[in-house]
Amino acid sequence: MESTTSIIPPEGMQLVYERPKALVDVHTHYCPGCTHGVAHRLLAEAIDELGVREKTILVAPVGCSVFAYAYFNTDGCEAAHGRAPAMATGIKRIDPSRVVVTYQGDGDLAAIGTAEIIHAAARGECITTLFINNAIYGMTGGQMAPTTLLGQKTKSSPMGRDAKIAGLPIRMSEVLATLPGSAYIVRRSLHDVNNIRKAKKAIVTALKAQINGLGFSMVELLSSCPTNWGIPADKALEWVEENMVPYYPLGDYKVIEAVKSL
Amino acid sequence: MAKEMLKGNNAIAEAAVRAGLEAYFGYPITPQTELLEYLSKRLVELNRVFLQAESEVAAINMVYGAACAGARVMTSSSSPGISLMQEGLSYIAGSELPVVIVDIMRGGPGLGNILPSQGDYFQVTRSAGHGDFHPIVLAPSSVQEAIDFTILAFELAEKYRHMVLLAADGQIGQMMEPAELPPMRPLMEKRPDWALTGAGDRPPNIISSIFLVAEEMENYNKMIQNKLKVIRANEQRWDEIYTEDIDLLVVGYGTAGRIALTAVEEAREEGMKVGLLRPQTLYPFPDDRISELADYVDSVLVVEMNAGQMLDDVRLAVGGQVPVSFFGRMGGVVPMPDEIYNAIKEAYTKTTAHKAA
Ligand SMILES: Cc1ncc(C[n+]2csc(CCOP(=O)(O)OP(=O)(O)O)c2C)c(N)n1
Ligand code: SF4
């Protein structure tokens, strides 16, 4: 495994920005303009800030981020499709002092893995989930996800998602917030700098909730998939703001008192 | 330690605890549920990990996670539950993790019933999940053997970094008989080097079963196959009785093997030259010994509580040297000694008539 870069600033200059220690210095396989990379960076910065890299264990999903474990300078493993919360449960129960994070797409978390995420949250499992909601199945080439918007065209809803056939898109943060075991459930977006900053703060809070043993924490991140949406990266970010944010309102869905006082 | 009256499922659970079981994840299903219930108390009292999962799918993935973290871990289920676990078993095989799975087999297919069966022989030995692998499969035929094989299961799992399935029919799980438990062993002292414990003073440990390049995937497969070759060479286990100077060899495992022994003894009292071989490992199958015996017996009778699954393995081991016949009951029916006796008599008469001719 390659180590992180160590930039020596020229004389008279100060280093203000560098690769987080929790990220490995390799090229990722993500498409240009994909927000998976942004989400990785935010998680890595949060891990660095809290000084928990040495005890973090990342559970990667099946989806475009299948190789996430290879991009983080932490221990990591690969779950079966949708099963990351169960796998994370097994890891966490063996050593509760570890910081266990699952990173999951919308097919992974909101379709095939619905039972696992709901029960991990219901048990108040002290793990943190980063939920990448890009309203599509990226890895398999752009089929409809449970979060695909009404009317949205995908490879398996070529005429646009029709509620009569496929029902309505599912709002997972709202669902999980109803469970007593969840401590911190929020939705953020990665479509502009301001929202990215808010997302970072939320990830730090979610990890803190875990470290303090307060229960299940999840940050849902509205994300883009320019490749499978078939639009340029900048337009994809606009699409997130114009189409996804109205259906998936940003905000805090569950913040228990103990988390508020962190 | 003295013998005590023990129920199969409870005995397996206690044996696992004494083998140093650190964590258990499972889901209720008859006829294995006592195992889960027993551990829900025992492990919690010992300050170890017990969790009733939301499904067998979740249970096996929790086992997968706990094994990644380096724990001595186990789950248990019965046939329909094992079907659900197959995805996880394949990932575990693809990640070389030492886990123990107990399968207290019941009648199927479908929801079937809760009665003893050996209908899952193919599932446990051949198709425990997608991809090219076999678990090590141990088949006890008494409560004592269930205890001994539970201990052995953990030893083999850790020796080979491979999954071990303890496959017992429902009868073994449900019956009570006198048996002796081993002394308590300590928990594992140190996590294995490959375990996910946090990349503190070492480079990250990664556990994954993805190999996108065909040649790399093939190399991984070769490694598994080489390991299985060593397992086949070293771990074939069986019990045999009255196998000297016989004309007919009976082969049966688990409860069927045990009932077959009664029938074989009856047949011997009648003067028939018949003996029994009882496989204790279904994978690796004791084919070396069966092949040796096939050199001097005149025929072989296979007895199972299914439609004839181990039969294929016996035929492969016998390699056409002598005729192989079959007697089986299915769907949760346990054969009576008399029925097996009749099958022995029929096979024996055919064999001796053939010899005389
Ligand atoms: C059991 C199983 N079913 C289906 C697949 C195929 N598959 C791989 S990724 C994927 C969907 C991933 O979509 P999502 O979770 O939204 O992540 P994204 O790729 O968009 O990041 C599917 C269906 C699989 N690997 N395993
Ligand atoms: S397919 Fe979509 S989600 Fe996957 S890497 Fe490309 S842009 Fe990102």
Side-chain angles (χ1 to χ4, degrees):
Chain A
M1 187 72 46
E2 287 171 58
S3 63
T4 50
T5 37
S6 166
I7 302 164
I8 300 158
E11 212 165 314
M13 288 192 162
Q14 224 187 343
L15 190 65
V16 291
Y17 196 72
E18 67 176 334
R19 178 183 297 277
K21 299 268 179 300
L23 275 187
V24 177
D25 186 10
V26 292
H27 284 289
T28 71
H29 66 284
Y30 297 115
C31 305
C34 173
T35 45
H36 267 306
V38 179
H40 279 28
R41 167 140 198 142
L42 298 185
L43 175 59
E45 284 179 0
I47 290 171
D48 278 8
E49 248 175 67
L50 295 170
V52 293
R53 186 192 70 78
E54 288 82 0
K55 53 179 183 174
T56 297
I57 294 160
L58 182 80
V59 185
V62 176
C64 276
S65 44
V66 69
F67 291 122
Y69 59 78
Y71 305 142
F72 285 85
N73 194 13
T74 65
D75 276 5
C77 58
E78 171 54 45
H81 195 18
R83 317 293 177 222
M87 199 174 181
T89 298
I91 296 170
K92 185 77 181 185
R93 295 280 175 133
I94 294 306
D95 188 350
S97 74
R98 302 298 91 179
V99 177
V100 184
V101 180
T102 77
Y103 185 105
Q104 302 179 256
D106 43 57
D108 198 80
L109 182 142
I112 197 166
T114 324
E116 285 77 13
I117 194 70
I118 287 195
H119 285 275
R123 286 190 302 267
E125 212 63 62
C126 284
I127 59 172
T128 301
T129 295
L130 248 61
F131 170 33
I132 309 298
N133 180 358
N134 59 12
I136 204 151
Y137 282 16
M139 191 197 207
T140 40
Q143 298 77 24
M144 187 185 69
T147 50
T148 291
L149 297 175
L150 274 189
Q152 187 185 336
K153 287 186 179 163
T154 70
K155 290 243 181 74
S156 57
S157 58
M159 284 84 79
R161 181 175 185 156
D162 177 350
K164 283 203 292 293
I165 298 174
L168 297 164
I170 185 168
R171 297 185 178 102
M172 283 310 285
S173 285
E174 286 84 334
V175 170
L176 296 177
T178 64
L179 299 169
S182 56
Y184 183 70
I185 308 281
V186 302
R187 183 182 289 123
R188 300 288 184 266
S189 177
L190 299 179
H191 70 268
D192 63 22
V193 174
N194 192 18
N195 280 287
I196 288 172
R197 291 219 170 100
K198 287 183 183 156
K200 157 82 178 295
K201 250 181 104 185
I203 296 170
V204 171
T205 308
L207 290 177
K208 277 190 189 162
Q210 172 178 179
I211 292 161
N212 287 279
L214 301 178
F216 176 76
S217 55
M218 181 177 92
V219 181
E220 174 176 348
L221 298 169
L222 300 185
S223 303
S224 70
C225 175
T227 303
N228 285 305
W229 292 354
I231 46 178
D234 54 343
K235 292 276 175 288
L237 295 177
E238 285 169 21
W239 197 88
V240 171
E241 185 175 17
E242 285 161 18
N243 297 285
M244 289 185 75
V245 174
Y247 189 83
Y248 298 111
L250 306 181
D252 297 356
Y253 288 91
K254 174 97 170 264
V255 185
I256 61 168
E257 283 308 317
V259 173
K260 281 185 195 147
S261 54
L262 279 177
Chain B
M1 257 172 238
K3 282 194 178 179
E4 47 192 315
M5 281 299 279
L6 292 169
K7 186 173 187 169
N9 282 334
N10 293 353
I12 293 172
E14 181 58 30
V17 168
R18 296 190 185 197
L21 179 73
E22 189 178 343
Y24 171 94
F25 303 90
Y27 188 83
I29 181 170
T30 315
Q32 68 76 50
T33 305
E34 296 87 355
L35 217 161
L36 169 138
E37 289 173 352
Y38 184 95
L39 290 174
S40 69
K41 183 160 186 279
R42 186 80 166 112
L43 286 179
V44 173
E45 276 171 3
L46 288 168
N47 238 332
R48 303 185 194 175
V49 178
F50 169 88
L51 184 58
Q52 180 173 325
E54 61 270 29
S55 68
E56 289 87 350
V57 174
I60 194 66
N61 283 287
M62 290 171 184
V63 167
Y64 183 21
C68 285
R72 189 169 288 154
V73 57
M74 175 176 112
T75 185
S76 62
S77 190
S78 176
S79 314
I82 299 291
S83 295
L84 272 188
M85 287 185 185
Q86 286 182 310
E87 176 194 63
L89 294 181
S90 180
Y91 277 73
I92 287 167
S95 313
E96 282 205 280
L97 293 167
V99 309
V100 172
I101 303 108
V102 179
D103 180 6
I104 307 293
M105 297 183 282
R106 63 187 237 180
L111 191 54
N113 58 36
I114 58 171
L115 300 164
S117 165
Q118 298 179 330
D120 304 334
Y121 181 94
F122 283 152
Q123 182 182 41
V124 294
T125 61
R126 301 282 200 284
S127 59
H130 59 280
D132 230 335
F133 74 97
H134 302 270
I136 295 174
V137 184
L138 305 175
S141 78
S142 65
V143 172
Q144 187 61 58
E145 233 175 29
I147 292 170
D148 299 344
F149 287 1
T150 301
I151 308 286
L152 177 65
F154 287 102
E155 288 170 1
L156 292 176
E158 282 160 31
K159 178 171 175 191
Y160 294 105
R161 269 184 75 176
H162 199 69
M163 79 183 72
V164 179
L165 245 148
L166 186 73
D169 50 78
Q171 185 115 329
I172 308 291
Q174 291 300 319
M175 75 183 173
M176 283 187 89
E177 61 182 354
E180 193 177 333
L181 284 159
M184 192 75 146
R185 290 191 193 175
L187 289 177
M188 213 188 278
E189 265 174 30
K190 191 179 149 286
R191 302 276 176 225
D193 295 342
W194 46 262
L196 305 184
T197 52
D201 45 11
R202 56 158 173 76
N205 279 346
I206 303 291
I207 297 180
S208 149
S209 57
I210 316 175
F211 297 92
L212 289 188
V213 180
E215 286 72 18
E216 285 176 20
M217 189 77 248
E218 188 182 44
N219 283 339
Y220 184 83
N221 269 284
K222 280 185 184 157
M223 189 274 297
I224 297 184
Q225 292 306 320
N226 285 337
K227 183 154 78 176
L228 291 175
K229 208 192 248 175
V230 176
I231 290 170
R232 282 199 300 275
N234 296 328
E235 307 299 346
Q236 295 182 20
R237 286 177 166 78
W238 68 93
D239 184 29
E240 60 180 73
I241 182 155
Y242 315 124
T243 47
E244 262 165 55
D245 186 28
I246 50 168
D247 295 332
L248 174 69
L249 175 71
V250 179
V251 185
Y253 59 95
T255 294
R258 183 169 169 151
I259 301 170
L261 178 60
T262 310
V264 163
E265 285 178 337
E266 213 177 305
R268 289 184 69 86
E269 275 168 32
E270 302 290 318
M272 291 181 241
K273 291 165 82 179
V274 29
L276 175 76
L277 185 142
R278 185 171 61 75
Q280 294 170 315
T281 48
L282 303 183
Y283 191 95
F285 192 67
D287 37 29
D288 296 343
R289 181 58 184 152
I290 291 178
S291 165
E292 241 170 57
L293 287 169
D295 278 345
Y296 68 85
V297 301
D298 299 315
S299 87
V300 177
L301 170 69
V302 174
V303 181
E304 292 181 83
M305 281 146 57
N306 60 36
Q309 300 190 13
M310 177 184 68
L311 176 61
D312 285 9
D313 282 331
V314 174
R315 283 197 176 127
L316 284 170
V318 168
Q321 296 181 79
V322 293
V324 179
S325 55
F326 175 73
F327 176 79
R329 297 297 306 263
M330 291 171 281
V333 179
V334 178
M336 297 300 284
D338 280 1
E339 296 174 85
I340 301 179
Y341 171 82
N342 290 339
I344 290 174
K345 197 167 173 188
E346 196 186 318
Y348 192 78
T349 316
K350 244 193 239 165
T351 311
T352 40
H354 188 254
K355 234 168 122 179

